[in-house]
Amino acid sequence: MFASPPLDARSPAADRSPDADPGRLRPSSIGGATLVGAGPGAPDLLTLRAVRAIQRADAVLFDALVDASILDLARPDARRIDVGKRCGRHAMNQAAINRLIVTLALSGAQVVRLKGGDPLLFGRGGEELDYLRAAGVPVEVVPGVTAACAAAASLQVSLTHRDVARSVHFITGHASDGQVPAHDWRALAASGGTIAAYMAANTLRRVAANLIEAGLCPTTPAVAVTNASRPRQTHVHATLATLPDLLEANPPSGPTLVLIGAVVRHSQADQDAQHVGGLAA
Ligand code: SAH
């Protein structure tokens, strides 16, 4: 996948005693892995901790959704490894990614696994963590701004709101078999909370139908936010019943997050001043 020049002074040869075996290395002889949340796209939504981890990394493995300007933060000599190529080439499969992180870390590299949004939300970060821990790789996690929070912030939607929504449900609209997952739609509909649907742009018709069948009002406000926090951010306001048609007529080009719930109404420009006053109270 990549040519392997020596990583840097932290390479194993520099740190190991001559008789070292893998179980008896001094702590500095082994590298480590950090799962870093790259946030929704805008570089200034990275945490300081994320920036520091990227800057000290010997190797950065990144996903398709990670913005190029964020990769520019890495040292010039750091390896940048695209494990999520979509155009023309297949993304590296999860098992290969896991093995690559372990190989690099056990050879002394500080590896950053850069994942869009928060690394432990819908990004298979949990599988990577399990694998790395089992392989004895020291691992850290740096949280990131997840897409739902970025989308909500950009539209000034409060995901929870006293008397309007007391819970938030992060759901995926896309199971590993490509189908809509078998969520407990009744519980979701009855919760009265805000639903943040990831990976649901292509399955929204089914997601909406399931929620409506489970009792959620078809006129519940819904908004699809594409490219949240990025220069080409767009959004489409509608209702649970009408949003699927609008998205089908104008398929979004970019990662899209759907927020469903009464709080979405509060983002609309035409809300009356009285209501805004109520929100501020
Ligand atoms: N770990 C990520 C989610 C990965 S799943 C996070 O915490 O945000 C990928 C899905 O996230 C996309 O299909 C889309 O639903 C959502 N997403 C990621 N970035 C986004 C963005 N900038 N704008 C809107 N949705 C985004």
Side-chain angles (χ1 to χ4, degrees):
M1 173 78 199
F2 53 88
S4 296
L7 286 163
D8 68 5
R10 276 170 285 182
S11 69
D15 294 333
R16 282 182 197 176
S17 61
D19 60 347
D21 69 42
R24 305 180 70 198
L25 299 176
R26 294 203 310 274
S28 61
S29 67
I30 198 171
T34 311
L35 304 193
V36 175
D44 58 350
L45 285 178
L46 282 172
T47 64
L48 275 179
R49 195 179 293 184
V51 172
R52 288 179 185 136
I54 295 166
Q55 286 173 336
R56 70 168 179 263
D58 301 304
V60 179
L61 279 70
F62 60 97
D63 283 337
L65 287 179
V66 172
D67 200 83
S69 57
I70 291 174
L71 292 171
D72 289 345
L73 295 168
R75 295 196 325 255
D77 62 320
R79 294 176 185 165
R80 292 160 172 76
I81 304 169
D82 182 351
V83 296
K85 283 208 167 77
R86 301 267 159 88
C87 300
R89 285 178 59 178
H90 287 301
M92 193 183 283
N93 71 36
Q94 189 62 51
I97 294 171
N98 295 345
R99 284 195 301 270
L100 181 55
I101 301 172
V102 168
T103 304
L104 289 166
L106 293 184
S107 72
Q110 289 298 332
V111 183
V112 157
R113 174 68 176 105
L114 199 50
K115 300 169 83 69
D118 183 86
L120 300 183
L121 268 174
F122 301 130
R124 304 188 73 174
E127 293 165 49
E128 290 175 15
L129 265 186
D130 289 345
Y131 191 91
L132 294 170
R133 286 190 296 231
V137 172
V139 59
E140 286 177 40
V141 180
V142 178
V145 175
T146 191
C149 293
S154 68
L155 299 184
Q156 300 187 9
V157 168
S158 177
L159 290 174
T160 62
H161 201 291
R162 196 158 46 107
D163 302 332
V164 176
R166 293 192 178 85
S167 60
V168 187
H169 307 266
F170 293 169
I171 69 166
T172 170
H174 197 269
S176 53
D177 60 3
Q179 302 298 307
V180 175
H183 295 299
D184 185 341
W185 300 105
R186 280 187 189 285
L188 281 170
S191 73
T194 304
I195 298 169
Y198 291 69
M199 295 174 276
N202 296 326
T203 56
L204 191 62
R205 191 171 294 285
R206 288 284 317 284
V207 169
N210 283 325
L211 285 169
I212 291 168
E213 198 183 313
L216 198 58
C217 180
T219 58
T220 302
V223 64
V225 185
T226 300
N227 291 315
S229 89
R230 298 175 181 197
R232 291 189 304 134
Q233 175 176 322
T234 57
H235 68 270
V236 182
H237 265 295
T239 66
L240 185 57
T242 58
L243 190 56
D245 281 342
L246 294 176
L247 289 192
E248 235 168 68
N250 270 310
S253 58
T256 300
L257 190 285
V258 180
L259 294 174
I260 301 163
V263 291
V264 170
R265 187 177 294 122
H266 295 321
S267 75
Q268 287 172 329
D270 60 357
Q271 60 190 320
D272 65 38
Q274 184 63 44
H275 205 143
V276 174
L279 287 179

